[in-house]
Amino acid sequence: MSPFSSSAPRTEQWHHVRLAVDDDVATVTLARPAKLNALTFGAYADLRDLLAELSRERAVRALVLAGEGRGFCSGGDVDDIIGATLAMDTAQLLDFNRMTGLVVRALREAPFPVIAAVHGVAAGAGAVLALAADFRVADPTARFAFLFTRVGLSGGDMGAAYLLPRVVGLGHATRLLMLGEPVRAPEAERIGLISELTEEGAADTRAAELARRLADGPALAYARTKALLTAELDMPLAASVELDAATQALLMNGEDYAEFHAAFTEKRPPKWQGR
């Protein structure tokens, strides 16, 4: 994400999600608890634009994506989205589906780690938002369901057919995307869909702790690691090791690399600058 922006002003208020920034950790909360945080057109657009702004500004070094109330996110709002899409023509439907995909791309391409704090339901688009995060911290109430075929659509929505096999393997991904059956926390942990399973009610706290740890670490090293993990998914080995070599050469010219050596020599913790 380029740090160069146009003359458009910074957004001061988001109407469809809640943003809180504590030092250099951002928390984005899906806040429609009465609807299990079902997503609307406005929520998708806010997430797309908010992630782009945070990525350009480079002030945030970690982000937590959370859901208010009884669950993480129940997916697209049946009335507000499915009902409305029935009246759209093909061009409008393509614009909408591209927008939802841009949210996933923004999560994957953001230059900071994203931690999804999952409790209760993460269904449909909500499951894909969690999938697109770098870490999924969940409590025992969490259940994931990729419900797209249940409404007559392809299971490969919002990049799910790309991301899910790379997280849990093709066999599990085929089952989850085709059948749309819920996966509860114990199985999700077993197949690798959950990064960390917490005690009940502790997912938000643990996600915040992980975000703080990441924000206090070598931000540039984390950003490049995330970028390489995404870029190298489809690369041959020769291209991958060449990209690794170029990346390491750049980072070896950075301040953090020199700071590590100074800190090691002086027997003190490094003071990471993200440069």
Side-chain angles (χ1 to χ4, degrees):
M1 181 69 68
S2 169
F4 303 105
S5 60
S6 68
S7 56
R10 184 178 187 272
T11 306
E12 296 299 331
Q13 184 176 2
W14 300 94
H15 297 287
H16 303 282
V17 296
R18 189 168 64 244
L19 171 66
V21 180
D22 180 11
D23 194 6
D24 47 11
V25 173
T27 301
V28 177
T29 304
L30 307 174
R32 294 183 75 208
K35 291 288 190 78
L36 278 175
N37 302 318
L39 298 167
T40 62
F41 294 113
Y44 280 117
D46 271 7
L47 287 169
R48 175 199 61 195
D49 296 343
L50 170 57
L51 289 163
E53 283 195 15
L54 294 176
S55 295
R56 281 196 304 270
E57 291 173 359
R58 302 293 174 96
V60 165
R61 295 175 65 153
L63 183 145
V64 175
L65 181 62
E68 182 180 328
R70 295 179 293 115
F72 177 72
C73 176
S74 59
D77 189 290
V78 174
D79 295 322
D80 287 3
I81 289 186
I82 295 181
T85 53
L86 293 174
M88 292 182 179
D89 61 26
T90 301
Q92 292 171 315
L93 291 169
L94 186 56
D95 284 342
F96 165 63
N97 283 285
R98 282 174 171 163
M99 176 175 67
T100 66
L102 285 173
V103 175
V104 170
R105 283 188 58 187
L107 288 166
R108 293 304 316 144
E109 294 172 5
F112 43 75
V114 177
I115 305 103
V118 183
H119 70 285
V121 65
V128 184
L129 291 181
L131 177 65
D134 301 292
F135 301 88
R136 284 160 296 283
V137 176
D139 82 0
T141 68
R143 59 188 187 279
F144 300 81
F146 298 85
L147 298 174
F148 306 108
T149 60
R150 297 287 187 96
V151 301
L153 297 177
S154 163
D157 194 38
M158 297 172 63
Y162 178 88
L163 292 172
L164 193 58
R166 290 162 168 80
V167 172
V168 302
L170 180 60
H172 290 305
T174 301
R175 172 172 60 92
L176 298 183
L177 293 182
M178 283 197 176
L179 299 180
E181 295 176 345
V183 180
R184 298 189 179 276
E187 183 185 3
E189 183 185 31
R190 178 178 63 80
I191 65 177
L193 186 54
I194 288 176
S195 309
E196 180 179 340
L197 185 61
T198 73
E199 296 180 356
E200 186 167 343
D204 286 357
T205 299
R206 178 61 190 131
E209 292 172 351
L210 178 57
R212 182 74 268 154
R213 172 185 172 184
L214 290 163
D216 290 341
L220 187 58
Y222 291 154
R224 296 315 305 159
T225 301
K226 176 174 179 172
L228 292 180
L229 284 168
T230 298
E232 294 181 18
L233 286 171
D234 300 308
M235 280 186 181
L237 178 60
S240 178
V241 296
E242 179 62 22
L243 183 57
D244 287 353
T247 299
Q248 296 296 52
L250 288 171
L251 291 177
M252 285 174 177
N253 271 320
E255 294 180 20
D256 279 352
Y257 187 62
E259 165 61 14
F260 167 76
H261 183 262
F264 182 83
T265 302
E266 297 166 14
K267 296 181 172 53
R268 60 172 175 80
K271 299 177 182 177
W272 305 113
Q273 299 298 315
R275 294 193 294 270

